Amino acid sequence: MLTGTLINAATIVIASIAGILIGSKMDDEIRRALMNVLGLPVLLIGISMGLKTENVLIPTLSIVAGTIAGELIGIERWLENLGDRVERRFGRGKFSEGFVGATLLYCVGPMAILGPIQEGLTGDISVLLAKSMLDGVASIALASALGIGVAFSSVSVLLYQGFFAILASELSRVVTESMINELTATGGLLIMGIGINLLELKKLRVGNMLPALVIAPLIVYFV
């Protein structure tokens, strides 16, 4: 149930150590190229998840309604403000800056929620494996500049994603197969949005789409 999250946390630790040892020798252009190219497998995962739908109208309605709700609530803006408050609370020391910055980067995002939910409901860790690759590249870059504090963010990832995985596992007893399929398909659209962002094709506010993950199973339940 926590396999994907454990892999994610271990990847952050290993990549952070690598970043401390050799990361400073990696050119910024290479780091950017790696992040860009990882957009391709992320996009592929999103497409494969999207094809799980039994009725394309459900993920379509979910993503539209979810985006409207997210924009009205201002989820991404709220998350950015939260990050600013946390950084001010912990100060700007090198360790705390690495720990807090990496924690926010790895925990505040759709994949950190969708990945463990997907694993908890279905046992599928593909989203978390993709997230591990992204976090690994980011950890090398961050740890080379900010040090060992980045590695300790793995504890935050373990606790945060573990919570969602356990919660989803408990809910799997009452969630139907159709609800899982439409949740997966809707999540696939969000993952595709992340892939588009990584490829720098267009900047999508994927965080504001998160309410769609609640709306999709509700549509199946009531309709």
Side-chain angles (χ1 to χ4, degrees), residues 52 54 172 174-184 220:
K52 299 283 188 182
E54 299 169 6
S172 65
V174 296
V175 175
T176 66
E177 183 177 352
S178 293
M179 292 169 74
I180 291 174
N181 287 339
E182 300 310 327
L183 173 65
T184 299
V220 176

Side-chain angles (χ1 to χ4, degrees), residues 129-174:
L129 290 179
K131 182 177 182 293
S132 297
M133 291 189 293
L134 296 171
D135 291 353
V137 174
S139 293
I140 292 174
L142 287 173
S144 66
L146 299 175
I148 196 65
V150 177
F152 279 86
S153 68
S154 60
V155 177
S156 303
V157 169
L158 190 61
L159 295 174
Y160 182 78
Q161 293 181 183
F163 166 77
F164 284 106
I166 294 170
L167 177 63
S169 179
E170 293 298 317
L171 290 176
S172 65
R173 301 170 185 173
V174 296

Side-chain angles (χ1 to χ4, degrees), residues 201-215:
L201 298 176
K202 186 173 179 62
K203 178 60 178 176
L204 299 176
R205 293 193 288 267
V206 180
N208 285 342
M209 303 176 190
L210 283 171
L213 298 177
V214 177
I215 294 171

Side-chain angles (χ1 to χ4, degrees), residues 20-214:
I20 292 170
L21 296 175
I22 63 171
S24 59
K25 300 176 183 178
M26 183 181 291
D27 186 81
D28 287 340
E29 286 299 314
I30 296 177
R31 291 189 190 116
R32 182 176 178 180
L34 286 173
M35 293 299 289
N36 286 159
V37 79
L38 285 173
L40 293 174
V42 169
L43 201 57
L44 179 61
I45 290 171
I47 292 171
S48 66
M49 289 172 62
L51 293 175
K52 299 283 188 182
T53 184
E54 299 169 6
N55 184 342
V56 72
L57 285 176
I58 295 176
T60 301
L61 290 173
S62 299
I63 203 76
V64 170
T67 300
I68 292 172
E71 291 287 342
L72 290 174
I73 297 170
I75 294 176
E76 286 218 346
R77 184 173 63 252
W78 183 85
L79 291 174
E80 289 171 1
N81 291 337
L82 174 63
D84 292 339
R85 287 197 297 270
V86 171
E87 286 184 342
R88 287 195 298 269
R89 171 68 178 81
F90 281 86
R92 290 288 181 177
K94 198 172 184 181
F95 179 90
S96 63
E97 188 175 353
F99 173 75
V100 174
T103 294
L104 293 173
L105 178 63
Y106 303 150
C107 293
V108 179
M111 294 182 93
I113 297 174
L114 178 61
I117 288 176
Q118 187 76 9
E119 181 179 11
L121 289 176
T122 68
D124 182 0
I125 65 171
S126 59
V127 172
L128 286 176
L129 290 179
K131 182 177 182 293
S132 297
M133 291 189 293
L134 296 171
D135 291 353
V137 174
S139 293
I140 292 174
L142 287 173
S144 66
L146 299 175
I148 196 65
V150 177
F152 279 86
S153 68
S154 60
V155 177
S156 303
V157 169
L158 190 61
L159 295 174
Y160 182 78
Q161 293 181 183
F163 166 77
F164 284 106
I166 294 170
L167 177 63
S169 179
E170 293 298 317
L171 290 176
S172 65
R173 301 170 185 173
V174 296
V175 175
T176 66
E177 183 177 352
S178 293
M179 292 169 74
I180 291 174
N181 287 339
E182 300 310 327
L183 173 65
T184 299
T186 304
L189 295 179
L190 270 68
I191 297 300
M192 290 170 65
I194 293 171
I196 290 170
N197 286 344
L198 288 170
L199 292 169
E200 298 184 11
L201 298 176
K202 186 173 179 62
K203 178 60 178 176
L204 299 176
R205 293 193 288 267
V206 180
N208 285 342
M209 303 176 190
L210 283 171
L213 298 177
V214 177

